[in-house]
Amino acid sequence: MDTAAPATAAAPARRPLRADAQRNYDRLIERAREAFTELGGDTSLEEVARRAEVGIGTLYRHFPNRLDLLETIYRGDVDRLCELAHTVTAERDPWEAMVAWLEEFSAYAATKRVLFQEIVAVAGKDAEVFIHSRAAIAEAADLVIGGAQRAGVARKDVEFSDVTRLVGGCTMMPGADAAQQRRMLHLVLDGLRVHG
């Protein structure tokens, strides 16, 4: 894998798909994300195909190997987070933008852990998808968290990496359900807010 690609490299271009093929592609990604989040690294590609209600041949036509599928999910999740950063900062006040973005980042962190481990096992920690993702997340976090700091509503004595690690940590507690993770996230947010 080429690790010398620029940090902002886009995903490889795909030829446009027929409508039914695009539906299969999208469904495969969504069901794969669900399966990997639920079952972890034990998820088989056959299970992904079953959940997406397609044959294994259809899966392999879109994703020739497991790594292709994992990287596509990982990159898509990062790209969605980056798009969300621009949307919320344009439409909401700085504090609400940061809250909305970190809630989505929390959901991303829960899925990312499994995908990250699997990609590292095959492609290493310096895989191009990680280089791209680190730069993209840093830019999005600066836009949202930095925006709240510049507006004076979030503490200025923390770095975005402090915040993303705290929020990511909220998803790692064994046995914590979604409601508890959300409560922990809001405790973190309360500690970041400038009061008064």
XYZ file of all heavy atoms in Angstrom, residues 11-95:
692
model
N -10.524 9.042 -1.808
C -10.681 7.609 -2.082
C -10.554 7.377 -3.573
O -10.894 8.241 -4.375
C -12.048 7.146 -1.598
N -10.046 6.204 -3.963
C -9.939 5.911 -5.387
C -11.295 6.057 -6.068
O -12.320 5.663 -5.532
C -9.463 4.450 -5.408
C -8.855 4.214 -4.062
C -9.580 5.106 -3.118
N -11.272 6.639 -7.263
C -12.525 6.875 -7.986
C -13.140 5.550 -8.427
O -12.443 4.629 -8.824
C -12.260 7.756 -9.197
N -14.470 5.465 -8.313
C -15.193 4.277 -8.773
C -15.992 4.664 -10.004
O -16.460 5.791 -10.117
C -16.183 3.803 -7.701
C -15.565 3.187 -6.494
C -16.636 2.521 -5.616
N -17.718 3.412 -5.241
C -18.999 3.188 -5.502
N -19.389 2.118 -6.154
N -19.928 4.031 -5.124
N -16.162 3.700 -10.885
C -17.050 3.938 -12.020
C -18.476 4.040 -11.494
O -18.843 3.357 -10.535
C -16.962 2.787 -13.012
C -15.674 2.742 -13.778
C -15.706 1.670 -14.820
N -16.219 0.422 -14.260
C -16.215 -0.741 -14.876
N -15.738 -0.821 -16.091
N -16.674 -1.826 -14.310
N -19.299 4.881 -12.120
C -20.702 4.956 -11.692
C -21.363 3.587 -11.808
O -21.101 2.835 -12.745
C -21.324 5.950 -12.674
C -20.171 6.732 -13.228
C -18.988 5.803 -13.212
N -22.211 3.278 -10.842
C -22.897 1.988 -10.817
C -24.338 2.142 -11.276
O -24.938 3.212 -11.122
C -22.889 1.419 -9.397
C -21.528 1.111 -8.785
C -21.699 0.735 -7.310
C -20.832 -0.010 -9.535
N -24.895 1.065 -11.813
C -26.336 1.039 -12.072
C -27.060 1.227 -10.745
O -26.503 0.944 -9.678
C -26.746 -0.303 -12.682
C -26.193 -0.607 -14.039
C -26.788 -1.922 -14.584
N -27.130 -2.892 -13.573
C -26.357 -3.932 -13.215
N -25.180 -4.109 -13.780
N -26.753 -4.781 -12.293
N -28.292 1.638 -10.791
C -29.046 1.930 -9.570
C -29.118 0.716 -8.643
O -28.924 0.844 -7.426
C -30.447 2.416 -9.914
N -29.385 -0.477 -9.194
C -29.489 -1.664 -8.340
C -28.135 -2.038 -7.748
O -28.036 -2.434 -6.581
C -30.088 -2.843 -9.107
C -29.264 -3.243 -10.327
O -28.564 -2.376 -10.905
O -29.311 -4.434 -10.705
N -27.069 -1.884 -8.527
C -25.729 -2.176 -8.019
C -25.339 -1.183 -6.933
O -24.705 -1.550 -5.933
C -24.717 -2.157 -9.160
N -25.725 0.088 -7.101
C -25.424 1.099 -6.076
C -26.169 0.777 -4.781
O -25.615 0.931 -3.683
C -25.804 2.497 -6.578
C -25.423 3.625 -5.622
C -23.924 3.755 -5.460
O -23.191 3.875 -6.431
N -23.443 3.738 -4.216
N -27.417 0.326 -4.904
C -28.176 -0.052 -3.704
C -27.478 -1.210 -2.981
O -27.357 -1.194 -1.752
C -29.611 -0.442 -4.070
C -30.525 0.749 -4.318
C -31.982 0.328 -4.379
N -32.242 -0.616 -5.466
C -32.521 -0.260 -6.718
N -32.576 1.017 -7.048
N -32.757 -1.181 -7.643
N -27.019 -2.210 -3.737
C -26.295 -3.337 -3.133
C -25.020 -2.867 -2.450
O -24.702 -3.292 -1.338
C -25.950 -4.391 -4.187
C -27.158 -5.188 -4.630
O -28.180 -5.236 -3.942
N -27.053 -5.814 -5.781
N -24.285 -1.995 -3.115
C -23.032 -1.453 -2.570
C -23.292 -0.736 -1.244
O -22.627 -0.990 -0.237
C -22.409 -0.507 -3.600
C -21.125 0.150 -3.179
C -19.897 -0.474 -3.406
C -21.124 1.398 -2.580
C -18.704 0.132 -3.031
C -19.940 2.011 -2.203
C -18.733 1.377 -2.434
O -17.557 1.990 -2.052
N -24.272 0.166 -1.243
C -24.593 0.925 -0.037
C -25.066 0.004 1.088
O -24.689 0.190 2.252
C -25.676 1.970 -0.335
C -25.189 3.047 -1.299
O -23.961 3.222 -1.454
O -26.053 3.714 -1.918
N -25.896 -0.983 0.737
C -26.410 -1.911 1.747
C -25.278 -2.768 2.318
O -25.234 -3.023 3.520
C -27.515 -2.781 1.154
C -28.327 -3.518 2.212
C -29.627 -4.086 1.683
N -29.438 -4.974 0.552
C -29.917 -4.745 -0.669
N -30.620 -3.664 -0.930
N -29.702 -5.606 -1.647
N -24.341 -3.187 1.480
C -23.197 -3.969 1.963
C -22.378 -3.175 2.975
O -21.988 -3.699 4.027
C -22.306 -4.389 0.787
C -22.763 -5.617 0.013
C -22.071 -5.700 -1.339
C -22.515 -6.882 0.844
N -22.136 -1.908 2.693
C -21.353 -1.083 3.619
C -22.101 -0.922 4.934
O -21.521 -1.077 6.020
C -21.038 0.287 2.991
C -20.054 0.109 1.839
C -20.469 1.246 4.027
C -19.803 1.359 1.034
N -23.391 -0.613 4.859
C -24.168 -0.400 6.088
C -24.256 -1.672 6.919
O -24.052 -1.649 8.140
C -25.572 0.106 5.733
C -26.383 0.530 6.936
C -25.698 1.599 7.784
O -25.063 2.513 7.231
O -25.790 1.501 9.026
N -24.549 -2.795 6.283
C -24.666 -4.053 7.033
C -23.309 -4.510 7.551
O -23.213 -5.090 8.632
C -25.289 -5.145 6.157
C -26.714 -4.873 5.728
C -27.657 -4.686 6.927
N -28.999 -4.384 6.492
C -29.492 -3.164 6.348
N -28.741 -2.118 6.623
N -30.733 -2.970 5.957
N -22.246 -4.239 6.808
C -20.903 -4.589 7.288
C -20.552 -3.767 8.519
O -20.013 -4.291 9.507
C -19.873 -4.372 6.181
N -20.869 -2.471 8.497
C -20.603 -1.616 9.663
C -21.342 -2.160 10.882
O -20.774 -2.271 11.975
C -21.043 -0.183 9.368
C -20.749 0.781 10.516
C -21.301 2.173 10.241
N -20.610 2.813 9.136
C -21.134 3.022 7.933
N -22.381 2.636 7.674
N -20.445 3.612 6.984
N -22.609 -2.510 10.703
C -23.396 -3.057 11.814
C -22.798 -4.367 12.318
O -22.675 -4.580 13.527
C -24.838 -3.305 11.357
C -25.626 -2.037 11.086
C -26.962 -2.324 10.409
O -27.297 -3.523 10.206
O -27.665 -1.358 10.074
N -22.432 -5.249 11.389
C -21.910 -6.559 11.780
C -20.581 -6.435 12.515
O -20.362 -7.092 13.538
C -21.756 -7.450 10.548
N -19.676 -5.599 12.010
C -18.376 -5.441 12.674
C -18.527 -4.790 14.044
O -17.813 -5.133 14.984
C -17.411 -4.647 11.796
C -16.805 -5.452 10.687
C -17.154 -5.223 9.364
C -15.895 -6.466 10.966
C -16.606 -5.978 8.341
C -15.345 -7.231 9.940
C -15.703 -6.987 8.625
N -19.464 -3.860 14.181
C -19.707 -3.239 15.487
C -20.267 -4.258 16.470
O -19.870 -4.310 17.629
C -20.690 -2.056 15.337
O -20.135 -1.112 14.427
C -20.934 -1.377 16.676
N -21.177 -5.098 15.983
C -21.850 -6.077 16.846
C -20.977 -7.296 17.152
O -20.903 -7.750 18.302
C -23.138 -6.525 16.151
C -23.963 -7.525 16.916
C -25.154 -7.992 16.091
O -25.700 -7.193 15.304
O -25.530 -9.166 16.240
N -20.302 -7.829 16.126
C -19.591 -9.107 16.264
C -18.078 -8.962 16.366
O -17.390 -9.932 16.691
C -19.923 -10.019 15.073
C -21.405 -10.298 14.833
C -21.595 -11.083 13.546
C -22.006 -11.048 16.026
N -17.559 -7.785 16.048
C -16.120 -7.575 16.123
C -15.374 -8.266 15.007
O -15.909 -8.537 13.924
N -14.121 -8.590 15.276
C -13.244 -9.162 14.271
C -13.635 -10.546 13.800
O -13.090 -11.042 12.812
N -14.563 -11.197 14.490
C -15.005 -12.532 14.081
C -16.012 -12.489 12.929
O -16.437 -13.527 12.438
C -15.637 -13.270 15.261
C -14.631 -13.572 16.360
O -13.433 -13.707 16.024
O -15.024 -13.660 17.531
N -16.391 -11.295 12.506
C -17.383 -11.164 11.444
C -16.840 -11.728 10.141
O -15.767 -11.348 9.679
C -17.745 -9.678 11.232
O -18.210 -9.140 12.463
C -18.820 -9.522 10.170
N -17.578 -12.631 9.534
C -17.173 -13.194 8.246
C -17.809 -12.394 7.115
O -18.857 -11.755 7.293
C -17.608 -14.657 8.145
O -19.020 -14.739 8.060
N -17.181 -12.442 5.954
C -17.760 -11.773 4.795
C -19.065 -12.449 4.378
O -19.971 -11.791 3.865
C -16.765 -11.750 3.638
C -15.499 -10.926 3.890
C -14.636 -10.889 2.637
C -15.820 -9.524 4.361
N -19.170 -13.735 4.635
C -20.424 -14.443 4.349
C -21.559 -13.880 5.202
O -22.691 -13.722 4.726
C -20.263 -15.946 4.613
C -19.406 -16.677 3.601
C -17.896 -16.458 3.777
O -17.481 -15.869 4.816
O -17.136 -16.864 2.886
N -21.253 -13.546 6.463
C -22.268 -12.954 7.344
C -22.682 -11.576 6.844
O -23.864 -11.214 6.872
C -21.716 -12.851 8.771
C -22.602 -12.103 9.758
C -23.943 -12.778 10.038
O -24.131 -13.954 9.656
O -24.807 -12.128 10.639
N -21.722 -10.809 6.369
C -22.032 -9.484 5.810
C -22.954 -9.632 4.607
O -23.970 -8.940 4.494
C -20.745 -8.731 5.423
C -21.076 -7.448 4.663
C -19.905 -8.414 6.664
N -22.618 -10.552 3.702
C -23.449 -10.768 2.511
C -24.851 -11.215 2.905
O -25.845 -10.752 2.330
C -22.788 -11.798 1.593
N -24.943 -12.106 3.883
C -26.251 -12.593 4.340
C -27.093 -11.437 4.864
O -28.263 -11.296 4.520
C -26.064 -13.650 5.430
C -27.368 -14.299 5.881
C -27.180 -15.163 7.110
N -26.853 -14.394 8.296
C -27.728 -13.641 8.988
N -28.986 -13.554 8.586
N -27.348 -12.975 10.058
N -26.479 -10.593 5.698
C -27.225 -9.456 6.265
C -27.650 -8.460 5.187
O -28.685 -7.812 5.312
C -26.367 -8.734 7.317
C -26.192 -9.519 8.595
C -25.357 -8.734 9.595
N -25.183 -9.472 10.848
C -25.184 -8.912 12.055
N -25.349 -7.604 12.178
N -25.025 -9.637 13.129
N -26.821 -8.313 4.166
C -27.141 -7.383 3.083
C -28.091 -7.998 2.057
O -28.509 -7.325 1.113
C -25.852 -6.924 2.397
N -28.401 -9.298 2.240
C -29.309 -10.026 1.351
C -28.795 -10.052 -0.084
O -29.545 -9.829 -1.045
C -30.721 -9.450 1.430
C -31.312 -9.531 2.830
C -32.688 -8.897 2.942
O -33.120 -8.184 2.000
O -33.338 -9.110 3.972
N -27.475 -10.308 -0.199
C -26.870 -10.490 -1.518
C -26.003 -11.741 -1.458
O -25.658 -12.232 -0.384
C -25.998 -9.275 -1.937
C -26.825 -8.003 -2.006
C -24.802 -9.101 -1.019
N -25.630 -12.264 -2.629
C -24.741 -13.408 -2.683
C -23.305 -12.980 -2.393
O -22.939 -11.811 -2.560
N -22.476 -13.924 -1.975
C -21.084 -13.620 -1.672
C -20.360 -13.127 -2.921
O -19.451 -12.290 -2.841
C -20.366 -14.848 -1.046
C -19.008 -14.452 -0.458
C -20.217 -15.972 -2.052
C -19.074 -13.573 0.753
N -20.785 -13.590 -4.108
C -20.186 -13.114 -5.356
C -20.410 -11.621 -5.560
O -19.523 -10.910 -6.052
N -21.592 -11.130 -5.181
C -21.885 -9.698 -5.282
C -20.964 -8.915 -4.364
O -20.432 -7.865 -4.735
C -23.361 -9.426 -4.930
O -24.186 -10.117 -5.869
C -23.681 -7.938 -4.958
N -20.774 -9.410 -3.144
C -19.859 -8.741 -2.217
C -18.461 -8.648 -2.823
O -17.847 -7.576 -2.828
C -19.812 -9.485 -0.878
C -18.981 -8.821 0.227
C -19.564 -9.132 1.597
C -17.519 -9.258 0.192
N -17.954 -9.765 -3.364
C -16.597 -9.768 -3.915
C -16.475 -8.917 -5.185
O -15.389 -8.416 -5.476
C -16.131 -11.200 -4.182
C -15.662 -11.899 -2.930
C -16.304 -13.045 -2.471
C -14.587 -11.405 -2.197
C -15.880 -13.689 -1.319
C -14.156 -12.040 -1.042
C -14.805 -13.184 -0.606
O -14.380 -13.808 0.543
N -17.552 -8.723 -5.920
C -17.490 -7.837 -7.082
C -17.235 -6.399 -6.644
O -16.528 -5.653 -7.307
C -18.787 -7.915 -7.894
C -18.759 -8.985 -8.966
C -19.864 -8.822 -9.981
N -21.198 -8.889 -9.410
C -21.827 -10.024 -9.097
N -21.226 -11.183 -9.290
N -23.043 -9.994 -8.604
N -17.838 -6.009 -5.528
C -17.644 -4.647 -5.016
C -16.365 -4.525 -4.190
O -15.692 -3.497 -4.234
C -18.840 -4.236 -4.157
C -20.099 -4.019 -4.932
N -20.254 -2.993 -5.836
C -21.269 -4.710 -4.938
C -21.465 -3.046 -6.367
N -22.107 -4.076 -5.835
N -16.048 -5.560 -3.420
C -14.906 -5.527 -2.505
C -14.103 -6.817 -2.694
O -14.459 -7.854 -2.124
C -15.392 -5.409 -1.051
C -16.327 -4.257 -0.836
C -17.701 -4.465 -0.733
C -15.855 -2.957 -0.779
C -18.577 -3.410 -0.556
C -16.729 -1.884 -0.611
C -18.085 -2.108 -0.494
N -13.051 -6.775 -3.508
C -12.308 -7.996 -3.833
C -11.728 -8.730 -2.632
O -11.482 -9.925 -2.701
C -11.190 -7.489 -4.748
C -11.715 -6.211 -5.315
C -12.582 -5.619 -4.245
N -11.543 -8.014 -1.514
C -11.040 -8.680 -0.311
C -11.544 -7.949 0.928
O -12.127 -6.864 0.842
C -9.508 -8.781 -0.326
C -8.850 -7.415 -0.463
O -9.088 -6.525 0.343
N -8.041 -7.244 -1.497
N -11.311 -8.539 2.056
C -11.786 -8.013 3.341
C -11.238 -6.611 3.616
O -11.948 -5.730 4.095
C -11.366 -8.990 4.445
C -11.893 -8.691 5.818
C -11.381 -9.755 6.810
N -11.948 -9.599 8.108
C -13.085 -10.152 8.516
N -13.793 -10.904 7.687
N -13.530 -9.965 9.749
N -9.955 -6.391 3.295
C -9.335 -5.092 3.543
C -10.035 -3.988 2.759
O -10.246 -2.888 3.289
C -7.842 -5.142 3.198
C -7.065 -3.848 3.446
C -7.103 -3.455 4.927
C -5.626 -3.998 2.973
N -10.415 -4.256 1.508
C -11.129 -3.249 0.714
C -12.419 -2.818 1.402
O -12.748 -1.631 1.452
C -11.466 -3.794 -0.679
C -10.263 -3.893 -1.582
O -9.286 -3.160 -1.359
O -10.296 -4.715 -2.517
N -13.158 -3.779 1.929
C -14.413 -3.471 2.611
C -14.148 -2.662 3.880
O -14.798 -1.636 4.125
C -15.162 -4.764 2.948
C -16.459 -4.615 3.750
C -17.466 -3.737 3.008
C -17.056 -5.992 4.044
N -13.185 -3.096 4.692
C -12.874 -2.399 5.942
C -12.438 -0.960 5.682
O -12.890 -0.031 6.361
C -11.772 -3.145 6.695
C -12.129 -4.531 7.228
C -10.872 -5.261 7.689
C -13.137 -4.434 8.355
N -11.559 -0.773 4.708
C -11.068 0.572 4.416
C -12.181 1.465 3.873
O -12.219 2.660 4.172
C -9.899 0.522 3.435
C -8.619 0.006 4.070
C -7.417 0.133 3.157
O -7.602 0.275 1.921
O -6.283 0.072 3.679
N -13.079 0.900 3.089
C -14.192 1.683 2.545
C -15.097 2.174 3.677
O -15.510 3.340 3.688
C -14.998 0.849 1.530
O -14.135 0.487 0.454
C -16.186 1.629 0.996
N -15.396 1.299 4.633
C -16.224 1.702 5.771
C -15.504 2.778 6.587
O -16.076 3.814 6.936
C -16.546 0.499 6.677
C -17.352 -0.546 5.925
C -17.302 0.946 7.932
C -17.443 -1.883 6.642
N -14.234 2.540 6.883
C -13.448 3.454 7.713
C -13.379 4.839 7.074
O -13.655 5.855 7.709
C -12.040 2.880 7.883
C -11.251 3.467 9.022
C -11.182 2.825 10.251
C -10.549 4.657 8.875
C -10.452 3.353 11.297
C -9.821 5.193 9.911
C -9.769 4.536 11.124
O -9.042 5.075 12.164
N -13.030 4.856 5.784
C -12.905 6.141 5.082
C -14.262 6.842 4.984
O -14.354 8.062 5.172
C -12.334 5.916 3.683
C -12.056 7.202 2.925
C -11.560 6.916 1.521
N -10.232 6.348 1.506
C -9.114 7.070 1.493
N -9.177 8.384 1.518
N -7.938 6.476 1.468
N -15.312 6.089 4.715
C -16.639 6.695 4.615
C -17.087 7.322 5.916
O -17.672 8.411 5.924
N -16.797 6.650 7.040
C -17.167 7.205 8.345
C -16.411 8.504 8.621
O -16.973 9.475 9.137
C -16.896 6.185 9.455
C -17.878 5.025 9.432
O -18.880 5.089 8.696
O -17.632 4.036 10.158
N -15.123 8.524 8.279
C -14.322 9.736 8.472
C -14.846 10.858 7.587
O -15.018 11.999 8.041
C -12.828 9.455 8.184
C -12.029 10.759 8.103
C -12.246 8.549 9.269
N -15.121 10.555 6.344
C -15.618 11.582 5.425
C -16.952 12.157 5.905
O -17.195 13.366 5.804
C -15.749 11.026 4.006
C -14.383 10.746 3.370
O -13.348 11.208 3.903
O -14.349 10.038 2.346
N -17.815 11.297 6.460
C -19.099 11.788 6.990
C -18.883 12.722 8.176
O -19.566 13.734 8.321
C -19.994 10.617 7.388
C -20.977 10.230 6.305
C -22.080 9.329 6.817
N -21.569 8.143 7.480
C -21.079 7.086 6.840
N -21.027 7.074 5.524
N -20.641 6.039 7.495
N -17.928 12.370 9.042
C -17.624 13.245 10.188
C -17.135 14.606 9.713
O -17.483 15.638 10.300
C -16.548 12.606 11.061
C -17.001 11.711 12.195
C -15.775 11.132 12.910
C -17.871 12.459 13.193
N -16.324 14.611 8.678
C -15.792 15.872 8.158
C -16.904 16.715 7.529
O -16.954 17.931 7.733
C -14.680 15.593 7.157
S -13.244 14.827 7.939
N -17.782 16.076 6.788
C -18.922 16.798 6.209
C -19.809 17.375 7.311
O -20.280 18.509 7.226
C -19.738 15.865 5.318
C -19.034 15.460 4.035
C -19.729 14.321 3.308
O -20.893 14.010 3.645
O -19.094 13.731 2.416
N -20.012 16.575 8.366
C -20.837 17.040 9.484
C -20.220 18.261 10.153
O -20.936 19.188 10.539
C -21.023 15.915 10.510
C -21.853 16.284 11.736
C -23.295 16.628 11.343
C -21.830 15.163 12.764
N -18.897 18.278 10.288
C -18.225 19.430 10.911
C -18.569 20.710 10.161
O -18.876 21.741 10.775
C -16.712 19.203 10.938
N -18.538 20.660 8.839
C -18.857 21.855 8.048
C -20.340 22.216 8.163
O -20.684 23.391 8.263
C -18.467 21.624 6.582
C -16.991 21.614 6.371
N -16.236 22.760 6.285
C -16.116 20.579 6.272
C -14.959 22.449 6.116
N -14.863 21.127 6.118
N -21.192 21.208 8.194
C -22.633 21.470 8.294
C -22.998 22.108 9.628
O -23.685 23.134 9.669
C -23.430 20.154 8.110
O -23.122 19.602 6.835
C -24.926 20.406 8.221
N -22.530 21.500 10.735
C -22.945 22.019 12.041
C -22.355 23.389 12.333
O -23.010 24.223 12.964
C -22.635 21.030 13.199
C -23.458 19.762 13.060
C -21.148 20.735 13.327
N -21.133 23.640 11.875
C -20.562 24.966 12.141
C -21.242 26.046 11.309
O -21.267 27.214 11.715
C -19.038 24.991 11.890
O -18.760 24.515 10.568
C -18.296 24.147 12.906
N -21.812 25.670 10.178
C -22.529 26.646 9.356
C -23.940 26.903 9.874
O -24.483 27.996 9.696
C -22.601 26.160 7.907
N -24.537 25.892 10.542
C -25.954 25.981 10.894
C -26.229 26.220 12.371
O -27.355 26.570 12.732
C -26.668 24.688 10.478
C -26.660 24.453 8.974
C -27.283 23.127 8.573
O -27.626 22.326 9.483
O -27.428 22.895 7.358
N -25.247 26.022 13.250
C -25.512 26.106 14.690
C -24.522 27.034 15.372
O -23.470 27.348 14.817
C -25.426 24.719 15.331
C -26.361 23.709 14.700
C -26.333 22.408 15.453
N -27.102 21.379 14.755
C -27.462 20.245 15.309
N -27.127 19.963 16.560
N -28.154 19.353 14.617
N -24.868 27.430 16.597
C -23.910 28.230 17.350
C -22.733 27.335 17.737
O -22.841 26.101 17.709
C -24.578 28.877 18.574
C -24.960 27.886 19.651
O -24.055 27.239 20.224
O -26.163 27.742 19.934
N -21.584 27.922 18.085
C -20.365 27.129 18.286
C -20.477 26.017 19.323
O -19.944 24.922 19.113
C -19.325 28.179 18.703
C -19.803 29.442 18.055
C -21.304 29.368 18.125
N -21.169 26.254 20.436
C -21.277 25.197 21.446
C -22.137 24.038 20.937
O -21.758 22.876 21.046
C -21.847 25.731 22.766
C -21.993 24.639 23.777
C -23.129 24.001 24.145
C -20.924 24.005 24.488
N -22.852 23.013 25.057
C -21.503 22.993 25.294
C -19.539 24.182 24.535
C -20.743 22.176 26.121
C -18.775 23.374 25.368
C -19.388 22.376 26.151
